[in-house]
Amino acid sequence: MRHYPAGVTVVTLNSEHGPIGFTATSFASLSLEPPLVSFNIAHTSSSLDAMLGADSVVIHFLGEHQHHLAQRFSRTADERFSDRSLWTPLDTGEPVLHGTPIWVRATVHHRIPIGDHTFVVGLVTRVHDNTDETPAAAPLLYYQGRYHRPTSLDR
Ligand SMILES: Cc1cc2nc3c(=O)[nH]c(=O)nc-3n(C[C@H](O)[C@H](O)[C@H](O)COP(=O)(O)O)c2cc1C
């Protein structure tokens, strides 16, 4: 699967034990009407219990300038939210990571265990789009075990 390129997201949620989040490249857009998105969470993930109990999530589409957040949210879970300057909770509780070009809030619609992951389907209830800022941040990509920025082939 390392040969398949992917955009990089961080999924966050609020739990009874505080904020939870993890880097995920399994994000997909599933449906426009209704607006449904999906991602997978591994059954080995320390975020699994919180994800199984969550009503809603925020999915951040990271920009290339957020490479450090992709690394942070795939490493030691206890330290992911330790820097309070990096995030703010929404009124609804989910943490939002500062400087993210686009994030969507979704309520959890389905959770389907499939193999060694659970497939999570979310109904989008809010979209926050900063990409009309100039210059617009380029998305962060993951390919062959490394982070990349896109290069256009069009002139
Ligand atoms: C580029 C990248 C993409 C990832 N995508 C997913 C994903 O889609 N789903 C998932 O459960 N974990 C994914 N992970 C792993 C998690 O971010 C995290 O590293 C893993 O759950 C271990 O965290 P834990 O120690 O809290 O269990 C990805 C990691 C990286 C580096």
Side-chain angles (χ1 to χ4, degrees), residues 22-26 40-42 44-46 73-74 77 80 142 147:
F22 58 97
T23 299
T25 49
S26 55
N40 298 329
I41 181 166
T44 53
S45 172
S46 67
F73 282 86
S74 62
R80 291 176 191 168
Y142 194 71
Y147 295 97

Side-chain angles (χ1 to χ4, degrees), residues 2 7 20 40 50 64 66 69 77 84 89 98 100 114 125 145-146:
R2 65 197 302 276
I20 297 288
N40 298 329
E64 57 154 329
Q66 294 176 302
L69 290 179
R84 279 297 276 110
H98 297 158
T100 304
I114 299 178
T125 58
R146 302 182 68 160

Side-chain angles (χ1 to χ4, degrees), residues 6-11 20-27 39-48 70-78 80 116-118 141-143 145-147:
V8 182
T9 73
V10 169
V11 178
I20 297 288
F22 58 97
T23 299
T25 49
S26 55
F27 173 84
F39 59 88
N40 298 329
I41 181 166
H43 291 164
T44 53
S45 172
S46 67
S47 307
L48 182 68
Q71 293 176 323
R72 184 181 189 93
F73 282 86
S74 62
R75 294 179 180 165
T76 318
D78 290 350
R80 291 176 191 168
D116 56 7
H117 282 62
T118 285
L141 306 178
Y142 194 71
Y143 175 57
R146 302 182 68 160
Y147 295 97

Side-chain angles (χ1 to χ4, degrees), residues 39-115:
F39 59 88
N40 298 329
I41 181 166
H43 291 164
T44 53
S45 172
S46 67
S47 307
L48 182 68
D49 286 348
M51 188 63 246
L52 294 181
D55 294 328
S56 60
V57 294
V58 167
I59 304 164
H60 303 76
F61 302 170
L62 296 190
E64 57 154 329
H65 61 291
Q66 294 176 302
H67 175 205
H68 62 290
L69 290 179
Q71 293 176 323
R72 184 181 189 93
F73 282 86
S74 62
R75 294 179 180 165
T76 318
D78 290 350
E79 294 170 13
R80 291 176 191 168
F81 290 95
S82 58
D83 184 346
R84 279 297 276 110
S85 71
L86 295 178
W87 60 280
T88 305
L90 293 179
D91 293 347
T92 43
E94 308 87 350
V96 166
L97 304 174
H98 297 158
T100 304
I102 299 177
W103 54 261
V104 300
R105 177 180 183 269
T107 53
V108 176
H109 200 59
H110 290 296
R111 269 179 284 247
I112 306 168
I114 299 178

